[in-house]
Amino acid sequence: MEIHFWEMIARTTGSFFAILFLARIIGKKQLSQLTFFHYVTGITFGSIASEIAAQAETPFWDGIISLFWWGILTIFVSYLTIKFEKFRILFDDKPSIIIQKGTIVSRNVKKARLSNDEVLMMLREQNIFSVSDVEYAVFETNGQLSVMKKLNLTEEWLQKKLKRKNVTTVEDVFFAQVLEDGSLYVSLKEGAPLNPPS
C-alpha cells in the first residue's frame, strides 16, 4: 500500500486553514441559532474539506476552488436573506405560531412536521406542563420553541405603563416587551420624542 505522507499532511493543513478562513469571513452563529440553510452549509463545508484532506486522488486545487466557491455562494445567499424577506423565507422558512392563547394550532404543527407529543416535550423543557398556561408558542427556524406565558395583562395596563414612560401614542413605539419582573421595556421609533425613563 502506497502512503503519501507529506502530500496528505500538506493537503490537510491547506484545507484546515481554508475552511478556517472561510468560516471567519462568513460569520459565526451559536450552534443553537443555526437555521436549516446554515446547518446544511456547515455540513457541506466539512464534507468538501475532508474530501480534500483524506482523498489523495482528489486534485487539491480543484477541491480548494470548490470550497471557496461554496463559500462565495453562502455569502451571497446570506446577503439575499438579510436584504430581502422573500429570500429569507425561501432559504430559512419562517417562524410558525403553534400555540395561540392556550390552543394548539394544528395546521401549523403539521406544517412544522411536529407531533403533539413533541410540542409538549418542548414545553416541558421550559418547565411548562400545561398548554393552557401558554399565550403564544413560536416554532423558530432553528428548531427551537419560543414561549410566552399568559400574563393576564390588559390594554388598560399597557396604556398606564406607556403613560408612565411619557409615551403619548402607540404609533411612536418601535418595539415593546414585557420583562420577567413584570415591567415594560419600550424602544421608540426614530424621530419620536425622547422621554426620560420612569
PDB file of all heavy atoms in Angstrom, residues 32 95-100 104-105 108-109 112 114-128 130-131 134 136-148:
ATOM      1  N   SER A  32     -26.945  26.640  18.558  1.00  0.00           N
ATOM      2  CA  SER A  32     -28.372  26.658  18.838  1.00  0.00           C
ATOM      3  C   SER A  32     -29.133  27.624  17.948  1.00  0.00           C
ATOM      4  O   SER A  32     -30.353  27.581  17.870  1.00  0.00           O
ATOM      5  CB  SER A  32     -28.612  27.039  20.301  1.00  0.00           C
ATOM      6  OG  SER A  32     -28.111  28.335  20.555  1.00  0.00           O
ATOM      7  N   PRO A  95     -40.799  31.579  11.110  1.00  0.00           N
ATOM      8  CA  PRO A  95     -41.343  31.039  12.357  1.00  0.00           C
ATOM      9  C   PRO A  95     -42.840  30.755  12.229  1.00  0.00           C
ATOM     10  O   PRO A  95     -43.554  31.422  11.480  1.00  0.00           O
ATOM     11  CB  PRO A  95     -41.085  32.158  13.369  1.00  0.00           C
ATOM     12  CG  PRO A  95     -40.003  32.986  12.763  1.00  0.00           C
ATOM     13  CD  PRO A  95     -40.194  32.904  11.283  1.00  0.00           C
ATOM     14  N   SER A  96     -43.298  29.743  12.973  1.00  0.00           N
ATOM     15  CA  SER A  96     -44.712  29.362  12.943  1.00  0.00           C
ATOM     16  C   SER A  96     -45.293  29.419  14.347  1.00  0.00           C
ATOM     17  O   SER A  96     -44.682  28.919  15.299  1.00  0.00           O
ATOM     18  CB  SER A  96     -44.884  27.941  12.393  1.00  0.00           C
ATOM     19  OG  SER A  96     -44.359  27.830  11.093  1.00  0.00           O
ATOM     20  N   ILE A  97     -46.461  30.034  14.473  1.00  0.00           N
ATOM     21  CA  ILE A  97     -47.171  30.037  15.756  1.00  0.00           C
ATOM     22  C   ILE A  97     -47.867  28.691  15.900  1.00  0.00           C
ATOM     23  O   ILE A  97     -48.758  28.360  15.121  1.00  0.00           O
ATOM     24  CB  ILE A  97     -48.194  31.182  15.828  1.00  0.00           C
ATOM     25  CG1 ILE A  97     -47.486  32.540  15.741  1.00  0.00           C
ATOM     26  CG2 ILE A  97     -49.019  31.086  17.105  1.00  0.00           C
ATOM     27  CD1 ILE A  97     -48.425  33.725  15.661  1.00  0.00           C
ATOM     28  N   ILE A  98     -47.439  27.901  16.888  1.00  0.00           N
ATOM     29  CA  ILE A  98     -48.055  26.576  17.049  1.00  0.00           C
ATOM     30  C   ILE A  98     -48.984  26.496  18.266  1.00  0.00           C
ATOM     31  O   ILE A  98     -49.748  25.543  18.383  1.00  0.00           O
ATOM     32  CB  ILE A  98     -46.993  25.465  17.102  1.00  0.00           C
ATOM     33  CG1 ILE A  98     -46.035  25.670  18.264  1.00  0.00           C
ATOM     34  CG2 ILE A  98     -46.222  25.389  15.798  1.00  0.00           C
ATOM     35  CD1 ILE A  98     -45.063  24.520  18.437  1.00  0.00           C
ATOM     36  N   ILE A  99     -48.894  27.499  19.149  1.00  0.00           N
ATOM     37  CA  ILE A  99     -49.868  27.625  20.234  1.00  0.00           C
ATOM     38  C   ILE A  99     -50.285  29.080  20.318  1.00  0.00           C
ATOM     39  O   ILE A  99     -49.440  29.976  20.329  1.00  0.00           O
ATOM     40  CB  ILE A  99     -49.296  27.165  21.593  1.00  0.00           C
ATOM     41  CG1 ILE A  99     -48.884  25.705  21.550  1.00  0.00           C
ATOM     42  CG2 ILE A  99     -50.331  27.392  22.708  1.00  0.00           C
ATOM     43  CD1 ILE A  99     -48.234  25.206  22.817  1.00  0.00           C
ATOM     44  N   GLN A 100     -51.576  29.317  20.335  1.00  0.00           N
ATOM     45  CA  GLN A 100     -52.094  30.686  20.402  1.00  0.00           C
ATOM     46  C   GLN A 100     -53.195  30.752  21.444  1.00  0.00           C
ATOM     47  O   GLN A 100     -54.196  30.033  21.355  1.00  0.00           O
ATOM     48  CB  GLN A 100     -52.626  31.125  19.040  1.00  0.00           C
ATOM     49  CG  GLN A 100     -53.080  32.563  18.990  1.00  0.00           C
ATOM     50  CD  GLN A 100     -53.418  33.002  17.572  1.00  0.00           C
ATOM     51  OE1 GLN A 100     -53.508  32.182  16.664  1.00  0.00           O
ATOM     52  NE2 GLN A 100     -53.598  34.285  17.378  1.00  0.00           N
ATOM     53  N   ILE A 104     -53.569  24.739  20.722  1.00  0.00           N
ATOM     54  CA  ILE A 104     -52.614  24.267  19.725  1.00  0.00           C
ATOM     55  C   ILE A 104     -53.162  24.537  18.328  1.00  0.00           C
ATOM     56  O   ILE A 104     -54.314  24.186  18.024  1.00  0.00           O
ATOM     57  CB  ILE A 104     -52.334  22.761  19.892  1.00  0.00           C
ATOM     58  CG1 ILE A 104     -51.616  22.505  21.223  1.00  0.00           C
ATOM     59  CG2 ILE A 104     -51.487  22.231  18.742  1.00  0.00           C
ATOM     60  CD1 ILE A 104     -51.354  21.044  21.524  1.00  0.00           C
ATOM     61  N   VAL A 105     -52.357  25.182  17.496  1.00  0.00           N
ATOM     62  CA  VAL A 105     -52.756  25.474  16.104  1.00  0.00           C
ATOM     63  C   VAL A 105     -52.325  24.263  15.269  1.00  0.00           C
ATOM     64  O   VAL A 105     -51.185  24.171  14.820  1.00  0.00           O
ATOM     65  CB  VAL A 105     -52.090  26.765  15.590  1.00  0.00           C
ATOM     66  CG1 VAL A 105     -52.593  27.102  14.188  1.00  0.00           C
ATOM     67  CG2 VAL A 105     -52.353  27.924  16.558  1.00  0.00           C
ATOM     68  N   ASN A 108     -50.458  24.449  11.794  1.00  0.00           N
ATOM     69  CA  ASN A 108     -49.063  24.880  11.862  1.00  0.00           C
ATOM     70  C   ASN A 108     -48.167  23.800  12.463  1.00  0.00           C
ATOM     71  O   ASN A 108     -46.994  23.689  12.103  1.00  0.00           O
ATOM     72  CB  ASN A 108     -48.942  26.177  12.670  1.00  0.00           C
ATOM     73  CG  ASN A 108     -49.507  27.374  11.926  1.00  0.00           C
ATOM     74  OD1 ASN A 108     -49.764  27.302  10.729  1.00  0.00           O
ATOM     75  ND2 ASN A 108     -49.705  28.465  12.621  1.00  0.00           N
ATOM     76  N   VAL A 109     -48.731  23.017  13.385  1.00  0.00           N
ATOM     77  CA  VAL A 109     -47.978  21.889  13.955  1.00  0.00           C
ATOM     78  C   VAL A 109     -47.677  20.864  12.869  1.00  0.00           C
ATOM     79  O   VAL A 109     -46.558  20.361  12.753  1.00  0.00           O
ATOM     80  CB  VAL A 109     -48.761  21.239  15.117  1.00  0.00           C
ATOM     81  CG1 VAL A 109     -48.087  19.947  15.569  1.00  0.00           C
ATOM     82  CG2 VAL A 109     -48.867  22.218  16.291  1.00  0.00           C
ATOM     83  N   ALA A 112     -45.066  22.178  10.445  1.00  0.00           N
ATOM     84  CA  ALA A 112     -43.722  22.118  11.022  1.00  0.00           C
ATOM     85  C   ALA A 112     -43.239  20.676  11.190  1.00  0.00           C
ATOM     86  O   ALA A 112     -42.130  20.451  11.663  1.00  0.00           O
ATOM     87  CB  ALA A 112     -43.707  22.824  12.376  1.00  0.00           C
ATOM     88  N   LEU A 114     -44.310  18.386  13.255  1.00  0.00           N
ATOM     89  CA  LEU A 114     -44.199  18.049  14.664  1.00  0.00           C
ATOM     90  C   LEU A 114     -45.406  17.229  15.089  1.00  0.00           C
ATOM     91  O   LEU A 114     -46.482  17.328  14.483  1.00  0.00           O
ATOM     92  CB  LEU A 114     -44.128  19.311  15.527  1.00  0.00           C
ATOM     93  CG  LEU A 114     -42.896  20.210  15.375  1.00  0.00           C
ATOM     94  CD1 LEU A 114     -43.113  21.510  16.138  1.00  0.00           C
ATOM     95  CD2 LEU A 114     -41.645  19.516  15.882  1.00  0.00           C
ATOM     96  N   SER A 115     -45.227  16.432  16.113  1.00  0.00           N
ATOM     97  CA  SER A 115     -46.364  15.749  16.723  1.00  0.00           C
ATOM     98  C   SER A 115     -46.737  16.504  17.994  1.00  0.00           C
ATOM     99  O   SER A 115     -45.943  17.295  18.526  1.00  0.00           O
ATOM    100  CB  SER A 115     -46.000  14.301  17.071  1.00  0.00           C
ATOM    101  OG  SER A 115     -45.013  14.273  18.105  1.00  0.00           O
ATOM    102  N   ASN A 116     -47.948  16.258  18.494  1.00  0.00           N
ATOM    103  CA  ASN A 116     -48.356  16.915  19.737  1.00  0.00           C
ATOM    104  C   ASN A 116     -47.424  16.536  20.884  1.00  0.00           C
ATOM    105  O   ASN A 116     -47.128  17.356  21.755  1.00  0.00           O
ATOM    106  CB  ASN A 116     -49.803  16.536  20.080  1.00  0.00           C
ATOM    107  CG  ASN A 116     -50.802  17.226  19.167  1.00  0.00           C
ATOM    108  OD1 ASN A 116     -50.474  18.215  18.508  1.00  0.00           O
ATOM    109  ND2 ASN A 116     -52.017  16.708  19.116  1.00  0.00           N
ATOM    110  N   ASP A 117     -46.958  15.291  20.879  1.00  0.00           N
ATOM    111  CA  ASP A 117     -46.041  14.841  21.937  1.00  0.00           C
ATOM    112  C   ASP A 117     -44.734  15.632  21.902  1.00  0.00           C
ATOM    113  O   ASP A 117     -44.180  15.967  22.955  1.00  0.00           O
ATOM    114  CB  ASP A 117     -45.741  13.339  21.777  1.00  0.00           C
ATOM    115  CG  ASP A 117     -46.934  12.474  22.154  1.00  0.00           C
ATOM    116  OD1 ASP A 117     -47.803  12.972  22.891  1.00  0.00           O
ATOM    117  OD2 ASP A 117     -46.993  11.313  21.716  1.00  0.00           O
ATOM    118  N   GLU A 118     -44.245  15.934  20.699  1.00  0.00           N
ATOM    119  CA  GLU A 118     -43.011  16.712  20.575  1.00  0.00           C
ATOM    120  C   GLU A 118     -43.219  18.136  21.072  1.00  0.00           C
ATOM    121  O   GLU A 118     -42.338  18.714  21.731  1.00  0.00           O
ATOM    122  CB  GLU A 118     -42.526  16.718  19.120  1.00  0.00           C
ATOM    123  CG  GLU A 118     -41.955  15.385  18.668  1.00  0.00           C
ATOM    124  CD  GLU A 118     -41.645  15.354  17.185  1.00  0.00           C
ATOM    125  OE1 GLU A 118     -42.499  15.830  16.399  1.00  0.00           O
ATOM    126  OE2 GLU A 118     -40.569  14.866  16.815  1.00  0.00           O
ATOM    127  N   VAL A 119     -44.371  18.703  20.765  1.00  0.00           N
ATOM    128  CA  VAL A 119     -44.685  20.053  21.249  1.00  0.00           C
ATOM    129  C   VAL A 119     -44.726  20.073  22.775  1.00  0.00           C
ATOM    130  O   VAL A 119     -44.144  20.949  23.425  1.00  0.00           O
ATOM    131  CB  VAL A 119     -46.029  20.546  20.675  1.00  0.00           C
ATOM    132  CG1 VAL A 119     -46.435  21.877  21.309  1.00  0.00           C
ATOM    133  CG2 VAL A 119     -45.940  20.694  19.161  1.00  0.00           C
ATOM    134  N   LEU A 120     -45.395  19.084  23.358  1.00  0.00           N
ATOM    135  CA  LEU A 120     -45.494  19.005  24.816  1.00  0.00           C
ATOM    136  C   LEU A 120     -44.116  18.804  25.456  1.00  0.00           C
ATOM    137  O   LEU A 120     -43.826  19.355  26.519  1.00  0.00           O
ATOM    138  CB  LEU A 120     -46.439  17.869  25.217  1.00  0.00           C
ATOM    139  CG  LEU A 120     -47.914  18.069  24.833  1.00  0.00           C
ATOM    140  CD1 LEU A 120     -48.724  16.825  25.145  1.00  0.00           C
ATOM    141  CD2 LEU A 120     -48.499  19.283  25.532  1.00  0.00           C
ATOM    142  N   MET A 121     -43.267  17.994  24.790  1.00  0.00           N
ATOM    143  CA  MET A 121     -41.917  17.776  25.305  1.00  0.00           C
ATOM    144  C   MET A 121     -41.123  19.083  25.329  1.00  0.00           C
ATOM    145  O   MET A 121     -40.443  19.395  26.314  1.00  0.00           O
ATOM    146  CB  MET A 121     -41.181  16.745  24.448  1.00  0.00           C
ATOM    147  CG  MET A 121     -39.752  16.472  24.903  1.00  0.00           C
ATOM    148  SD  MET A 121     -38.820  15.477  23.728  1.00  0.00           S
ATOM    149  CE  MET A 121     -38.580  16.682  22.408  1.00  0.00           C
ATOM    150  N   MET A 122     -41.219  19.874  24.235  1.00  0.00           N
ATOM    151  CA  MET A 122     -40.501  21.145  24.180  1.00  0.00           C
ATOM    152  C   MET A 122     -41.022  22.118  25.221  1.00  0.00           C
ATOM    153  O   MET A 122     -40.257  22.928  25.760  1.00  0.00           O
ATOM    154  CB  MET A 122     -40.594  21.739  22.765  1.00  0.00           C
ATOM    155  CG  MET A 122     -39.741  21.003  21.745  1.00  0.00           C
ATOM    156  SD  MET A 122     -39.617  21.832  20.146  1.00  0.00           S
ATOM    157  CE  MET A 122     -41.219  21.442  19.445  1.00  0.00           C
ATOM    158  N   LEU A 123     -42.310  22.054  25.526  1.00  0.00           N
ATOM    159  CA  LEU A 123     -42.868  22.895  26.594  1.00  0.00           C
ATOM    160  C   LEU A 123     -42.323  22.469  27.947  1.00  0.00           C
ATOM    161  O   LEU A 123     -41.929  23.307  28.770  1.00  0.00           O
ATOM    162  CB  LEU A 123     -44.398  22.809  26.597  1.00  0.00           C
ATOM    163  CG  LEU A 123     -45.136  23.512  25.462  1.00  0.00           C
ATOM    164  CD1 LEU A 123     -46.628  23.235  25.566  1.00  0.00           C
ATOM    165  CD2 LEU A 123     -44.873  25.008  25.468  1.00  0.00           C
ATOM    166  N   ARG A 124     -42.266  21.147  28.175  1.00  0.00           N
ATOM    167  CA  ARG A 124     -41.753  20.650  29.457  1.00  0.00           C
ATOM    168  C   ARG A 124     -40.290  21.037  29.661  1.00  0.00           C
ATOM    169  O   ARG A 124     -39.859  21.280  30.793  1.00  0.00           O
ATOM    170  CB  ARG A 124     -41.917  19.131  29.545  1.00  0.00           C
ATOM    171  CG  ARG A 124     -43.361  18.668  29.702  1.00  0.00           C
ATOM    172  CD  ARG A 124     -43.434  17.225  30.121  1.00  0.00           C
ATOM    173  NE  ARG A 124     -42.886  16.331  29.110  1.00  0.00           N
ATOM    174  CZ  ARG A 124     -43.564  15.812  28.094  1.00  0.00           C
ATOM    175  NH1 ARG A 124     -44.857  16.096  27.952  1.00  0.00           N
ATOM    176  NH2 ARG A 124     -42.981  15.010  27.231  1.00  0.00           N
ATOM    177  N   GLU A 125     -39.538  21.099  28.567  1.00  0.00           N
ATOM    178  CA  GLU A 125     -38.139  21.516  28.661  1.00  0.00           C
ATOM    179  C   GLU A 125     -38.013  22.941  29.178  1.00  0.00           C
ATOM    180  O   GLU A 125     -36.949  23.350  29.656  1.00  0.00           O
ATOM    181  CB  GLU A 125     -37.458  21.396  27.287  1.00  0.00           C
ATOM    182  CG  GLU A 125     -37.202  19.949  26.876  1.00  0.00           C
ATOM    183  CD  GLU A 125     -36.653  19.835  25.471  1.00  0.00           C
ATOM    184  OE1 GLU A 125     -36.747  20.828  24.709  1.00  0.00           O
ATOM    185  OE2 GLU A 125     -36.142  18.749  25.111  1.00  0.00           O
ATOM    186  N   GLN A 126     -39.098  23.716  29.069  1.00  0.00           N
ATOM    187  CA  GLN A 126     -39.111  25.090  29.586  1.00  0.00           C
ATOM    188  C   GLN A 126     -39.953  25.189  30.860  1.00  0.00           C
ATOM    189  O   GLN A 126     -40.421  26.257  31.225  1.00  0.00           O
ATOM    190  CB  GLN A 126     -39.630  26.044  28.510  1.00  0.00           C
ATOM    191  CG  GLN A 126     -38.792  26.025  27.239  1.00  0.00           C
ATOM    192  CD  GLN A 126     -39.108  27.185  26.324  1.00  0.00           C
ATOM    193  OE1 GLN A 126     -39.331  28.302  26.769  1.00  0.00           O
ATOM    194  NE2 GLN A 126     -39.112  26.936  25.026  1.00  0.00           N
ATOM    195  N   ASN A 127     -40.143  24.018  31.496  1.00  0.00           N
ATOM    196  CA  ASN A 127     -40.894  23.937  32.759  1.00  0.00           C
ATOM    197  C   ASN A 127     -42.336  24.399  32.630  1.00  0.00           C
ATOM    198  O   ASN A 127     -42.900  25.012  33.544  1.00  0.00           O
ATOM    199  CB  ASN A 127     -40.177  24.742  33.870  1.00  0.00           C
ATOM    200  CG  ASN A 127     -38.831  24.143  34.229  1.00  0.00           C
ATOM    201  OD1 ASN A 127     -38.688  22.929  34.334  1.00  0.00           O
ATOM    202  ND2 ASN A 127     -37.842  25.001  34.395  1.00  0.00           N
ATOM    203  N   ILE A 128     -42.929  24.121  31.479  1.00  0.00           N
ATOM    204  CA  ILE A 128     -44.349  24.412  31.257  1.00  0.00           C
ATOM    205  C   ILE A 128     -45.046  23.079  31.020  1.00  0.00           C
ATOM    206  O   ILE A 128     -44.711  22.345  30.083  1.00  0.00           O
ATOM    207  CB  ILE A 128     -44.553  25.345  30.045  1.00  0.00           C
ATOM    208  CG1 ILE A 128     -43.834  26.663  30.287  1.00  0.00           C
ATOM    209  CG2 ILE A 128     -46.038  25.573  29.775  1.00  0.00           C
ATOM    210  CD1 ILE A 128     -43.806  27.579  29.084  1.00  0.00           C
ATOM    211  N   SER A 130     -48.582  22.675  31.051  1.00  0.00           N
ATOM    212  CA  SER A 130     -49.960  22.802  30.564  1.00  0.00           C
ATOM    213  C   SER A 130     -50.017  23.781  29.409  1.00  0.00           C
ATOM    214  O   SER A 130     -49.519  24.903  29.511  1.00  0.00           O
ATOM    215  CB  SER A 130     -50.875  23.289  31.698  1.00  0.00           C
ATOM    216  OG  SER A 130     -52.184  23.515  31.208  1.00  0.00           O
ATOM    217  N   VAL A 131     -50.637  23.345  28.315  1.00  0.00           N
ATOM    218  CA  VAL A 131     -50.787  24.208  27.135  1.00  0.00           C
ATOM    219  C   VAL A 131     -51.611  25.438  27.480  1.00  0.00           C
ATOM    220  O   VAL A 131     -51.401  26.524  26.929  1.00  0.00           O
ATOM    221  CB  VAL A 131     -51.440  23.422  25.971  1.00  0.00           C
ATOM    222  CG1 VAL A 131     -51.711  24.337  24.776  1.00  0.00           C
ATOM    223  CG2 VAL A 131     -50.562  22.255  25.555  1.00  0.00           C
ATOM    224  N   VAL A 134     -49.983  28.847  28.183  1.00  0.00           N
ATOM    225  CA  VAL A 134     -49.209  29.483  27.114  1.00  0.00           C
ATOM    226  C   VAL A 134     -50.062  30.495  26.354  1.00  0.00           C
ATOM    227  O   VAL A 134     -51.148  30.160  25.868  1.00  0.00           O
ATOM    228  CB  VAL A 134     -48.654  28.426  26.130  1.00  0.00           C
ATOM    229  CG1 VAL A 134     -47.889  29.090  24.998  1.00  0.00           C
ATOM    230  CG2 VAL A 134     -47.777  27.421  26.869  1.00  0.00           C
ATOM    231  N   TYR A 136     -48.530  32.424  23.698  1.00  0.00           N
ATOM    232  CA  TYR A 136     -48.032  32.121  22.355  1.00  0.00           C
ATOM    233  C   TYR A 136     -46.821  31.202  22.456  1.00  0.00           C
ATOM    234  O   TYR A 136     -45.986  31.352  23.350  1.00  0.00           O
ATOM    235  CB  TYR A 136     -47.618  33.395  21.606  1.00  0.00           C
ATOM    236  CG  TYR A 136     -48.766  34.233  21.124  1.00  0.00           C
ATOM    237  CD1 TYR A 136     -49.163  35.369  21.829  1.00  0.00           C
ATOM    238  CD2 TYR A 136     -49.463  33.898  19.957  1.00  0.00           C
ATOM    239  CE1 TYR A 136     -50.222  36.150  21.397  1.00  0.00           C
ATOM    240  CE2 TYR A 136     -50.523  34.672  19.520  1.00  0.00           C
ATOM    241  CZ  TYR A 136     -50.902  35.782  20.244  1.00  0.00           C
ATOM    242  OH  TYR A 136     -51.956  36.545  19.816  1.00  0.00           O
ATOM    243  N   ALA A 137     -46.732  30.263  21.522  1.00  0.00           N
ATOM    244  CA  ALA A 137     -45.527  29.451  21.354  1.00  0.00           C
ATOM    245  C   ALA A 137     -45.165  29.488  19.879  1.00  0.00           C
ATOM    246  O   ALA A 137     -46.002  29.192  19.018  1.00  0.00           O
ATOM    247  CB  ALA A 137     -45.753  28.018  21.818  1.00  0.00           C
ATOM    248  N   VAL A 138     -43.925  29.882  19.599  1.00  0.00           N
ATOM    249  CA  VAL A 138     -43.472  30.045  18.219  1.00  0.00           C
ATOM    250  C   VAL A 138     -42.364  29.042  17.931  1.00  0.00           C
ATOM    251  O   VAL A 138     -41.367  28.974  18.653  1.00  0.00           O
ATOM    252  CB  VAL A 138     -42.952  31.484  17.975  1.00  0.00           C
ATOM    253  CG1 VAL A 138     -42.465  31.637  16.539  1.00  0.00           C
ATOM    254  CG2 VAL A 138     -44.043  32.500  18.289  1.00  0.00           C
ATOM    255  N   PHE A 139     -42.547  28.247  16.872  1.00  0.00           N
ATOM    256  CA  PHE A 139     -41.524  27.308  16.434  1.00  0.00           C
ATOM    257  C   PHE A 139     -40.579  28.052  15.507  1.00  0.00           C
ATOM    258  O   PHE A 139     -40.955  28.459  14.413  1.00  0.00           O
ATOM    259  CB  PHE A 139     -42.170  26.117  15.705  1.00  0.00           C
ATOM    260  CG  PHE A 139     -41.214  24.999  15.405  1.00  0.00           C
ATOM    261  CD1 PHE A 139     -40.534  24.350  16.415  1.00  0.00           C
ATOM    262  CD2 PHE A 139     -41.000  24.605  14.096  1.00  0.00           C
ATOM    263  CE1 PHE A 139     -39.654  23.322  16.130  1.00  0.00           C
ATOM    264  CE2 PHE A 139     -40.124  23.579  13.805  1.00  0.00           C
ATOM    265  CZ  PHE A 139     -39.446  22.932  14.834  1.00  0.00           C
ATOM    266  N   GLU A 140     -39.338  28.276  15.997  1.00  0.00           N
ATOM    267  CA  GLU A 140     -38.383  29.114  15.279  1.00  0.00           C
ATOM    268  C   GLU A 140     -37.719  28.356  14.132  1.00  0.00           C
ATOM    269  O   GLU A 140     -37.792  27.126  14.047  1.00  0.00           O
ATOM    270  CB  GLU A 140     -37.305  29.632  16.246  1.00  0.00           C
ATOM    271  CG  GLU A 140     -37.848  30.348  17.465  1.00  0.00           C
ATOM    272  CD  GLU A 140     -38.452  31.714  17.151  1.00  0.00           C
ATOM    273  OE1 GLU A 140     -38.438  32.130  15.977  1.00  0.00           O
ATOM    274  OE2 GLU A 140     -38.942  32.369  18.088  1.00  0.00           O
ATOM    275  N   THR A 141     -37.046  29.104  13.253  1.00  0.00           N
ATOM    276  CA  THR A 141     -36.396  28.497  12.089  1.00  0.00           C
ATOM    277  C   THR A 141     -35.187  27.653  12.466  1.00  0.00           C
ATOM    278  O   THR A 141     -34.692  26.879  11.655  1.00  0.00           O
ATOM    279  CB  THR A 141     -35.956  29.576  11.078  1.00  0.00           C
ATOM    280  OG1 THR A 141     -35.084  30.512  11.742  1.00  0.00           O
ATOM    281  CG2 THR A 141     -37.160  30.317  10.523  1.00  0.00           C
ATOM    282  N   ASN A 142     -34.697  27.786  13.700  1.00  0.00           N
ATOM    283  CA  ASN A 142     -33.565  26.955  14.141  1.00  0.00           C
ATOM    284  C   ASN A 142     -34.037  25.707  14.899  1.00  0.00           C
ATOM    285  O   ASN A 142     -33.238  24.983  15.481  1.00  0.00           O
ATOM    286  CB  ASN A 142     -32.612  27.762  15.028  1.00  0.00           C
ATOM    287  CG  ASN A 142     -33.279  28.267  16.304  1.00  0.00           C
ATOM    288  OD1 ASN A 142     -34.448  27.994  16.560  1.00  0.00           O
ATOM    289  ND2 ASN A 142     -32.545  29.003  17.093  1.00  0.00           N
ATOM    290  N   GLY A 143     -35.374  25.469  14.885  1.00  0.00           N
ATOM    291  CA  GLY A 143     -35.913  24.265  15.511  1.00  0.00           C
ATOM    292  C   GLY A 143     -36.231  24.397  16.989  1.00  0.00           C
ATOM    293  O   GLY A 143     -36.636  23.426  17.622  1.00  0.00           O
ATOM    294  N   GLN A 144     -36.059  25.599  17.539  1.00  0.00           N
ATOM    295  CA  GLN A 144     -36.359  25.799  18.953  1.00  0.00           C
ATOM    296  C   GLN A 144     -37.748  26.402  19.130  1.00  0.00           C
ATOM    297  O   GLN A 144     -38.310  26.984  18.202  1.00  0.00           O
ATOM    298  CB  GLN A 144     -35.308  26.705  19.597  1.00  0.00           C
ATOM    299  CG  GLN A 144     -33.931  26.062  19.694  1.00  0.00           C
ATOM    300  CD  GLN A 144     -32.989  26.864  20.560  1.00  0.00           C
ATOM    301  OE1 GLN A 144     -33.109  28.081  20.678  1.00  0.00           O
ATOM    302  NE2 GLN A 144     -32.031  26.193  21.177  1.00  0.00           N
ATOM    303  N   LEU A 145     -38.277  26.243  20.327  1.00  0.00           N
ATOM    304  CA  LEU A 145     -39.600  26.760  20.647  1.00  0.00           C
ATOM    305  C   LEU A 145     -39.477  27.963  21.575  1.00  0.00           C
ATOM    306  O   LEU A 145     -38.880  27.877  22.644  1.00  0.00           O
ATOM    307  CB  LEU A 145     -40.441  25.671  21.322  1.00  0.00           C
ATOM    308  CG  LEU A 145     -41.937  25.959  21.474  1.00  0.00           C
ATOM    309  CD1 LEU A 145     -42.625  25.987  20.105  1.00  0.00           C
ATOM    310  CD2 LEU A 145     -42.592  24.910  22.370  1.00  0.00           C
ATOM    311  N   SER A 146     -40.013  29.098  21.134  1.00  0.00           N
ATOM    312  CA  SER A 146     -40.054  30.304  21.965  1.00  0.00           C
ATOM    313  C   SER A 146     -41.456  30.428  22.556  1.00  0.00           C
ATOM    314  O   SER A 146     -42.447  30.350  21.823  1.00  0.00           O
ATOM    315  CB  SER A 146     -39.727  31.552  21.136  1.00  0.00           C
ATOM    316  OG  SER A 146     -38.421  31.467  20.609  1.00  0.00           O
ATOM    317  N   VAL A 147     -41.517  30.602  23.872  1.00  0.00           N
ATOM    318  CA  VAL A 147     -42.807  30.567  24.558  1.00  0.00           C
ATOM    319  C   VAL A 147     -43.036  31.846  25.347  1.00  0.00           C
ATOM    320  O   VAL A 147     -42.128  32.333  26.042  1.00  0.00           O
ATOM    321  CB  VAL A 147     -42.892  29.359  25.510  1.00  0.00           C
ATOM    322  CG1 VAL A 147     -44.227  29.337  26.232  1.00  0.00           C
ATOM    323  CG2 VAL A 147     -42.680  28.055  24.750  1.00  0.00           C
ATOM    324  N   MET A 148     -44.244  32.388  25.227  1.00  0.00           N
ATOM    325  CA  MET A 148     -44.669  33.492  26.085  1.00  0.00           C
ATOM    326  C   MET A 148     -45.825  32.983  26.936  1.00  0.00           C
ATOM    327  O   MET A 148     -46.868  32.580  26.401  1.00  0.00           O
ATOM    328  CB  MET A 148     -45.112  34.703  25.260  1.00  0.00           C
ATOM    329  CG  MET A 148     -45.458  35.902  26.136  1.00  0.00           C
ATOM    330  SD  MET A 148     -45.897  37.385  25.187  1.00  0.00           S
ATOM    331  CE  MET A 148     -47.600  37.023  24.788  1.00  0.00           C
TER     332      MET A 148
END
